[in-house]
Amino acid sequence: MGPPVHCVLPAADIVGESLIWSAADQVLLWVDIGGRRIHRLEPAAGRHETWPTPEFPTSIGLRATSGAVVGLTRRIALWHFDDRFETFAVPEPDLPDNRLNEGKVGPDGCFWVGTMQNNLADDGSPRDMTRDSGAIYRVHADGRVQAMTERVFGITNTFVWLDDGRLVTADTTKNQLYAYGCEPGQGLSPTRTPFGAPFARGLPDGSCLDAEGYLWNCRVVGGACIVRFAPDGSIDRVVDLPCTWPTSCAFGGPDLATLYVTSARFTMSRAHLEQQPLEGGLFAFEPGVRGRPEAWFAG
C-alpha cells in the first residue's frame, strides 16, 4: 500500500508540465502546453492564478533576479508575471518544424532545454511525428545557446543532475532514460548510456531529485504512476496515481516534504474524461523523503 495521493487542484490541463517550487514565495509554478497558460498556486492559502501565453508554453524556471524564464514554442523568453514575454534566445532558428519541450535550470545557472519535432497543430490538436530531430541545448546567462547533443531525440524529457555529476535525461519515444557524463562548466560526454531498463508502465516524462539522490520519474501515456529510481538505475519503488498521464513532479511545501505531480488529458476521449474527470489535475502525496531547492537561472 502506497502513500495516499490527493488532488490539490482539478486544473484540467491539456498538458500540464514543468512543475517547480519557489521557496521564496511558497508557490508552485507550471505550464499547460496545450492550454497556452501558466499556473501559479499558493497551496497554503489556496490562491490560484493563470496567465495566457501568446504561444505554447513548454517549460518554466526561476530567475535569480526576478520573474521567470519560459520556454515557448520556438523561443526562450524572460517573463515578469504579466502579459509580456521578452525574447531571450532561439535555440533552433534553422528548424522551423521543431519546437521546444523540456526545460530546466541546471546547477550551473544555465537554462537547459530540449527540442522535438512539433507534434502540435495551431489549435493544440496532435500532429504526427515522422523523425528524430530533437537535441539538448544550454542557454547561458548572456543569451548564448550551446548545443549539447546531436539531434538524436524523438521527444526530449527530464533533466536531473545526479550527485556524481551525471545528467539523466529521457527520450519518451524510446521508453528510455539516459545518462551523460557532465562536468561543471564543461560539455556532456559524447555518448549516452541507458539509465536503468525500460519500465513496462507508460513512458518516461518529467523527473525530479530528492535529498537522498534518488530520481522520481513520471510515467506518461497510461503509466498512471511515478517511479523512484536509485542512482544506479534500479527501481526503488512505484507509487500509483489517480491519473493516467502524470507528466512532471516537484518537491514543495515549507520543508520540501510534499511531492506534487502535474498531469495531462491530451488525446483523451470525452467518454474517458467523463469517467476520469481529474485527468489533467495537480496531485500531491507525502513520499517520506524531502526534496531539494530549485536552481535559479542567472540570466
Side-chain angles (χ1 to χ4, degrees), residues 225-242:
C225 67
I226 187 168
V227 180
R228 189 186 193 226
F229 288 90
D232 65 0
S234 62
I235 294 174
D236 173 73
R237 71 177 106 152
V238 178
V239 177
D240 292 323
L241 299 171

Side-chain angles (χ1 to χ4, degrees), residues 185-232:
Q186 304 298 319
L188 299 180
S189 58
T191 58
R192 60 187 186 183
T193 58
F195 181 80
F199 185 63
R201 291 176 58 178
L203 300 172
D205 205 321
S207 304
C208 66
L209 198 67
D210 66 30
E212 296 178 357
Y214 284 59
L215 181 150
W216 294 80
N217 176 243
C218 294
R219 306 300 299 187
V220 76
V221 192
C225 67
I226 187 168
V227 180
R228 189 186 193 226
F229 288 90
D232 65 0

Side-chain angles (χ1 to χ4, degrees), residues 51-268:
W51 291 267
T53 60
E55 305 156 37
F56 295 119
T58 59
S59 60
I60 189 168
L62 300 171
R63 294 181 66 196
T65 52
S66 64
V69 56
V70 176
L72 296 171
T73 304
R74 302 195 61 246
R75 63 189 173 109
I76 293 163
L78 304 181
W79 182 56
H80 295 280
F81 305 102
D82 54 24
D83 60 355
R84 296 169 299 166
F85 291 85
E86 175 190 347
T87 299
F88 185 72
V90 179
E92 291 180 333
D94 60 327
L95 287 181
D97 194 41
N98 263 18
R99 71 166 176 87
L100 303 186
N101 194 49
E102 182 71 286
K104 186 78 172 179
V105 179
D108 56 1
C110 296
F111 192 55
W112 292 63
V113 294
T115 61
M116 60 180 285
Q117 184 182 14
N118 191 4
N119 65 340
L120 297 172
D122 289 343
D123 63 358
S125 60
R127 291 175 51 187
D128 290 338
M129 295 182 64
T130 60
R131 67 176 189 269
D132 292 345
S133 59
I136 296 173
Y137 299 87
R138 178 164 59 179
V139 181
H140 294 258
D142 59 3
R144 179 168 53 94
V145 177
Q146 179 184 8
M148 305 302 289
T149 70
E150 301 293 327
R151 292 169 173 168
V152 295
F153 287 83
I155 299 178
T156 53
N157 256 314
T158 291
F159 293 131
V160 170
W161 288 263
L162 301 180
D163 290 337
D164 62 9
R166 286 176 296 161
L167 167 67
V168 175
T169 186
D171 189 335
T172 301
T173 63
K174 309 300 185 295
N175 189 21
Q176 184 63 63
L177 292 162
Y178 296 102
Y180 286 91
C182 182
E183 294 296 330
Q186 304 298 319
L188 299 180
S189 58
T191 58
R192 60 187 186 183
T193 58
F195 181 80
F199 185 63
R201 291 176 58 178
L203 300 172
D205 205 321
S207 304
C208 66
L209 198 67
D210 66 30
E212 296 178 357
Y214 284 59
L215 181 150
W216 294 80
N217 176 243
C218 294
R219 306 300 299 187
V220 76
V221 192
C225 67
I226 187 168
V227 180
R228 189 186 193 226
F229 288 90
D232 65 0
S234 62
I235 294 174
D236 173 73
R237 71 177 106 152
V238 178
V239 177
D240 292 323
L241 299 171
C243 60
T244 59
W245 282 43
T247 50
S248 70
C249 54
F251 284 90
D255 52 3
L256 297 178
T258 302
L259 188 57
Y260 292 92
V261 181
T262 57
S263 64
R265 49 175 54 198
F266 188 57
T267 74
M268 294 179 187

Side-chain angles (χ1 to χ4, degrees), residues 14-27:
I14 297 175
V15 183
E17 274 287 5
S18 194
L19 184 64
I20 55 173
W21 172 257
S22 171
D25 299 317
Q26 295 289 291
V27 299

